[in-house]
Amino acid sequence: DSGVTQTPKHLITATGQRVTLRCSPRSGDLSVYWYQQSLDQGLQFLIQYYNGEERAKGNILERFSAQQFPDLHSELNLSSLELGDSALYFCASSPGRGNTEAFFGQGTRLTVV
Amino acid sequence: AQKITQTQPGMFVQEKEAVTLDCTYDTSDPSYGLFWYKQPSSGEMIFLIYQGSYDQQNATEGRYSLNFQKARKSANLVISASQLGDSAMYFCAMREGPSTDKLIFGTGTRLQVFP
């Protein structure tokens, strides 16, 4: 058990819909990262938050947004979903800067039908 | 731009043998970190081992060791005494600089351990 909790584990939804993925980081970790893993794109960094503030942005679509709350949990919002958004979405957490470790949650498998 | 390359899409190894999974990287940043993760068929990403660019010695964690050759920009994972449970995808990743800590991943190597 990595200590990073993601909910839900599986999500099936229709095109055009909006979903929210939730992540609770390991106790004490200030950084939260979101990654997308798809068959054609591999593991892609989406966005990072550090202590409530956006720290880095990667290949995140405008239809996607995220935030980190004062209790450090994070949510990834995906809207106007398309078939191509079907993927495994991971949250990871780490203590802060210059990390020597980064632990991943079990992922949320999103299927858009 | 930073890049991670894993050239072995698949590897086979017999149980109890050692296996090396290749990883090369490219960065102009003098400070970086290298990670290896295991992803079994169940899908979770399991952190295995970390090597910092300034670390003088190769990292080891149980049966996992990282063969770090800085001049060649390689960070190969060595798994000793392979077990059937080691069958999984293995990803090499690099931390980009000290300011973001985001990880860039390679495409992975699928390892299959046979009896």
Side-chain angles (χ1 to χ4, degrees):
Chain A
D1 183 4
S2 67
V4 180
T5 304
Q6 283 188 252
T7 56
K9 285 192 170 54
H10 301 276
L11 201 49
I12 301 175
T13 190
T15 53
Q17 294 298 306
R18 182 179 191 275
V19 297
T20 297
L21 312 184
R22 195 179 195 278
C23 170
S24 293
R26 286 193 320 159
S27 177
D29 284 356
L30 299 177
S31 270
V32 169
Y33 313 77
W34 287 97
Y35 292 86
Q36 178 194 58
Q37 185 179 30
S38 59
L39 284 174
D40 55 343
Q41 296 284 333
L43 268 157
Q44 298 284 317
F45 168 74
L46 295 178
I47 197 163
Q48 177 198 1
Y49 280 84
Y50 176 79
N51 204 19
E53 294 190 2
E54 184 183 301
R55 171 64 60 84
K57 219 167 187 176
N59 301 321
I60 187 166
L61 300 172
E62 284 192 12
R63 301 182 285 109
F64 296 0
S65 65
Q67 54 184 327
Q68 186 179 29
F69 295 87
D71 66 352
L72 301 178
H73 91 270
S74 178
E75 292 181 356
L76 178 67
N77 300 297
L78 315 176
S79 61
S80 303
L81 284 167
E82 302 174 359
L83 296 177
D85 298 327
S86 296
L88 190 51
Y89 290 84
F90 284 108
C91 168
S93 76
S94 64
R97 297 184 178 185
N99 297 308
T100 61
E101 57 189 17
F103 291 92
F104 281 70
Q106 294 212 321
T108 293
R109 186 170 294 281
L110 173 67
T111 303
V112 183
V113 297
Chain B
Q2 284 89 345
K3 189 177 178 183
I4 290 280
T5 303
Q6 294 181 257
T7 57
Q8 306 156 314
M11 290 283 286
F12 287 89
V13 66
Q14 190 166 31
E15 204 176 3
K16 299 179 186 175
E17 296 295 310
V19 62
T20 298
L21 307 184
D22 294 342
C23 173
T24 58
Y25 60 92
D26 189 21
T27 181
S28 56
D29 193 333
S31 174
Y32 52 90
L34 297 156
F35 299 73
W36 276 93
Y37 287 87
K38 172 184 177 182
Q39 186 177 39
S41 57
S42 50
E44 71 265 35
M45 293 286 285
I46 302 167
F47 168 69
L48 295 178
I49 197 167
Y50 167 84
Q51 178 84 43
S53 58
Y54 295 120
D55 294 343
Q56 295 295 315
Q57 300 207 342
N58 287 341
T60 60
E61 288 287 347
R63 295 186 297 111
Y64 304 108
S65 60
L66 201 151
N67 184 0
F68 182 46
Q69 298 188 46
K70 197 169 182 177
R72 300 177 72 174
K73 294 190 174 180
S74 75
N76 299 338
L77 178 70
V78 180
I79 305 175
S80 63
S82 296
Q83 301 172 357
L84 296 178
D86 293 334
S87 295
M89 280 290 286
Y90 288 80
F91 290 94
C92 179
M94 179 168 62
R95 184 191 68 222
E96 255 194 14
S99 62
T100 73
D101 290 328
K102 70 182 186 186
L103 296 179
I104 302 168
F105 284 86
T107 52
T109 296
R110 181 169 297 281
L111 175 67
Q112 297 201 50
V113 182
F114 60 94

